Amino acid sequence: MAVNVVEIIDRSRMSAVQIRIVAICAAVLIVDGFDAQALGFAIPSMSKDWTVSPSAFTTAATVGVAGLLVGSLLVGALSDRWGRRPVTLVGLGVIVLTMFLTAGVTTMGWLIVLRFFTSVAVGALTPNLIALVSEYSPQRRRMFTVAIAISGFSLGGVIGGFLAAWLIPATHWRGVFVAGGILTLIVAIAMLVGVPESVRFLTMAGRQAAVGRIMARIDPLRPAQEGTFTLLEEKTARASVGALFQHGRGVVTGLIWLTFFMSLLVLYFGANWLPTILAGAGFTPTNALIGTSIFNIAMMIGALLSGLTADRLRRPAILVSAAFAGAFVVFAILPLFGGMPVLLLVALCVAGFFVQAGQASLAAFVGGLYPTSIRATGLGWGFGAGRVGSIVGPLVGGLLMAASFGAVTILSLLAIPAAVAALAVGAVGLRRRGTGAEVGAPGSDEGAVVVSDDATDGSTSLPRP
């Protein structure tokens, strides 16, 4: 008898092993958030130590963003071929090595090289871990668990700022990178010991015995030898970007990339220029930094609450679109708060809440758009498009400031990308209306991927519907 592993996960309670997987993946992303921003924390101390201007680190910071883009586009897809777990462990190993080496670097050239490879590994891990969390979460909790994982990256930046403020006076800038290497090693060990391979990937690879052991821990009441494990979803020939445009997925994929681009443009615009813009709006430098921290906290709250809400909706695209639409409205009315710094900050926190709510829910929503064989590829290229937006956002902000636009005017212009994101993801929801649940969900009309212990090459058979 065929047993659909997705159906078992969806109908079961969150078991201890699933909770542990989500917790460890979130911990990895917290540390990744710290590692990604470590150079930013260290630059003031490094510039004094090396007797150079902080602007001398521009190239090192830029290649860090480029590395995140390369990791999202290229390395994330490898997990669809080799598995989520080995790619994650290799990425963590690269980060441990490069962080420790960075602590001993003495030249700008080596700093640039090491930051690039650190960022490539960090960029690859994000879509991989989101795919893993998505595949181990029941559909009724999936948006929330993915939101928890995504919030980890932002939380890593918040915690890292406080940690760096304590470390740098005692150990100078090198302590930041040593701490990052140690923390990454700890979560790598936790990943090695506590997180199994994706059960969907194992099913598609024909590893029935391994699937059986994991499913017995997720659903202990199910007989251990009950039937053959299957996936009711399409199996693509190979994990490639071309597969994202096959079988009618082309328009949806393009709209998803556009949404990622616009949402991360807004987020990174704020991350890079918000303290400066708030100072221009009447805040003292200290209060501008505090306001930026409050803005980040509002974004994390938005991510978590959106996950809780989205799990109760049959059409999560509606929530994602509504969140970006809410951000559009708030950004558009910001000129009403000109000359009122406190109200301006409150409005910005509300806008940040909506943007991050949309971004977090978007990642979980996209995880359900693609079958297991290309899920990490789809997420990786989506985040890759977003990384392009994360580069464009700060550049646009710099150009607007150089053109002497007012602080409130600059912020209100963010209504444009927020509106585009809302329309794009709304169009995805309209295209998918009437198509049913995500691929692999109970009741899906996709063909069943059936694998057996005899499969040694990872191949599967796809019966006709």
Side-chain angles (χ1 to χ4, degrees):
M1 180 179 68
V3 179
N4 182 10
V5 296
V6 178
E7 185 174 359
I8 293 176
I9 292 174
D10 284 346
R11 78 186 182 198
S12 303
R13 285 187 172 186
M14 284 284 288
S15 63
V17 65
Q18 291 165 286
I19 294 173
R20 186 178 71 234
I21 290 169
V22 173
I24 292 176
C25 288
V28 172
L29 285 170
I30 290 173
V31 175
D32 278 357
F34 172 79
D35 293 339
Q37 299 181 56
L39 180 61
F41 301 141
I43 282 177
S45 178
M46 293 181 76
S47 64
K48 293 179 180 179
D49 190 19
W50 290 5
T51 62
V52 297
S53 168
S55 62
F57 294 89
T58 300
T59 302
T62 303
V63 299
V65 177
L68 293 173
L69 172 61
V70 172
S72 295
L73 294 182
L74 300 181
V75 186
L78 296 178
S79 68
D80 282 330
R81 302 184 187 182
W82 297 344
R84 320 290 190 223
R85 191 169 180 268
V87 171
T88 299
L89 291 173
V90 170
L92 289 171
V94 170
I95 295 172
V96 170
L97 177 62
T98 55
M99 289 294 282
F100 282 137
L101 290 175
T102 303
V105 75
T106 57
T107 66
M108 188 66 71
W110 275 111
L111 176 65
I112 291 171
V113 170
L114 291 171
R115 288 307 296 172
F116 176 76
F117 283 105
T118 300
S119 299
V120 169
V122 170
L125 291 181
T126 301
N128 199 36
L129 291 168
I130 291 173
L132 191 58
V133 169
S134 175
E135 290 167 357
Y136 267 110
S137 301
Q139 191 169 10
R140 65 185 181 278
R141 293 285 183 267
R142 190 164 301 146
M143 303 289 276
F144 182 57
T145 55
V146 171
I148 290 175
I150 290 177
S151 297
F153 195 89
S154 299
L155 183 59
V158 175
I159 294 175
F162 290 108
L163 182 60
W166 173 72
L167 282 171
I168 290 176
T171 64
H172 300 290
W173 60 269
R174 300 182 191 277
V176 173
F177 296 103
V178 171
I182 293 173
L183 292 173
T184 305
L185 180 60
I186 292 172
V187 295
I189 294 171
M191 187 83 192
L192 177 66
V193 174
V195 178
E197 179 57 86
S198 162
V199 71
R200 295 195 191 190
F201 181 87
L202 292 173
T203 303
M204 299 195 73
R207 296 168 60 181
Q208 288 280 303
V211 175
R213 288 192 296 271
I214 295 171
M215 298 312 295
R217 298 166 70 184
I218 292 176
D219 185 9
L221 299 179
R222 189 191 63 81
Q225 302 299 323
E226 180 187 298
T228 302
F229 294 104
T230 66
L231 283 178
L232 295 180
E233 65 175 44
E234 167 196 351
K235 171 66 168 69
T236 60
R238 57 178 300 193
S240 67
V241 65
L244 303 179
F245 294 88
Q246 296 173 356
H247 307 294
R249 286 188 288 260
V251 174
V252 168
T253 294
L255 290 170
I256 288 299
W257 288 5
L258 178 61
T259 307
F260 269 108
F261 175 89
M262 292 298 175
S263 64
L264 287 185
L265 184 153
V266 174
L267 288 175
Y268 277 79
F269 182 104
N272 284 270
W273 292 113
L274 190 57
T276 303
I277 292 175
L278 288 177
F283 286 82
T284 66
T286 299
N287 287 338
L289 291 174
I290 294 174
T292 302
S293 298
I294 295 172
F295 178 80
N296 287 326
I297 292 171
M299 289 197 301
M300 286 189 289
I301 294 173
L304 295 175
L305 291 183
S306 71
L308 281 172
T309 305
D311 283 327
R312 293 172 169 81
L313 297 178
R314 292 180 56 85
R315 298 288 179 184
I318 296 175
L319 175 66
V320 182
S321 181
F324 288 126
F328 158 73
V329 171
V330 177
F331 282 128
I333 64 173
L334 284 181
L336 298 177
F337 305 109
M340 296 179 283
V342 174
L343 291 179
L344 178 64
L345 177 59
V346 171
L348 283 174
C349 288
V350 174
F353 173 95
F354 280 127
V355 173
Q356 188 64 12
Q359 172 66 23
S361 299
L362 175 66
F365 173 59
V366 172
L369 291 178
Y370 299 109
T372 302
S373 56
I374 57 171
R375 179 167 291 118
T377 302
L379 283 165
W381 278 79
F383 273 101
R387 298 299 182 193
V388 176
S390 72
I391 297 172
V392 172
L395 290 176
V396 171
L399 291 174
L400 291 174
M401 294 186 69
S404 300
F405 280 83
V408 176
T409 301
I410 292 174
L411 291 171
S412 65
L413 289 174
L414 292 177
I416 297 173
V420 173
L423 293 173
V425 76
V428 173
L430 290 175
R431 286 186 63 86
R432 286 177 54 80
R433 177 176 292 176
T435 61
E438 70 155 310
V439 288
S444 170
D445 59 359
E446 301 281 0
V449 176
V450 183
V451 294
S452 67
D453 285 320
D454 296 332
T456 58
D457 60 355
S459 62
T460 63
S461 60
L462 182 61
R464 296 181 183 275

